[in-house]
Amino acid sequence: GLPPLEAMTAGCPAIVAPHGALPEICAEAALYRAGDDAEAWAAAVVRLREDGAWREQLRAAALAQSARFTWKRAASRLVDELVAL
């Protein structure tokens, strides 16, 4: 999930396939398209390019979602889990 998260942190709307950790990482802040549907991915890219209001809405959602993931928080959670052992 790091590449989409990095894009979202930079304010770039992410288009991802709904597999693995991506739905958990991206939540409602990304566009989901089937991994094998090239036409749907292309249409999403075109819409992002042409629809500035929608792009800005997704950009804001991406920034908010990505702010939930920090290295400090990840390290803290890891330490908590290790201490709990």
Side-chain angles (χ1 to χ4, degrees):
L2 281 178
L5 187 58
E6 289 173 344
M8 292 166 62
T9 299
C12 180
I15 306 169
V16 300
H19 304 291
L22 294 176
E24 178 183 352
I25 298 295
C26 299
E28 300 299 317
L31 302 174
Y32 293 91
R33 299 296 182 264
D36 61 352
D37 191 346
E39 289 181 18
W41 284 67
V45 170
V46 169
R47 182 171 177 206
L48 282 170
R49 184 190 69 210
E50 295 176 353
D51 189 340
W54 188 57
R55 182 177 58 247
E56 185 55 36
Q57 179 182 1
L58 288 169
R59 180 182 179 281
L63 288 169
Q65 177 67 12
S66 66
R68 298 179 58 230
F69 296 89
T70 66
W71 287 114
K72 182 177 181 177
R73 183 172 179 234
S76 178
R77 290 179 68 186
L78 175 61
V79 168
D80 290 346
E81 290 295 322
L82 292 173
V83 169
L85 294 176

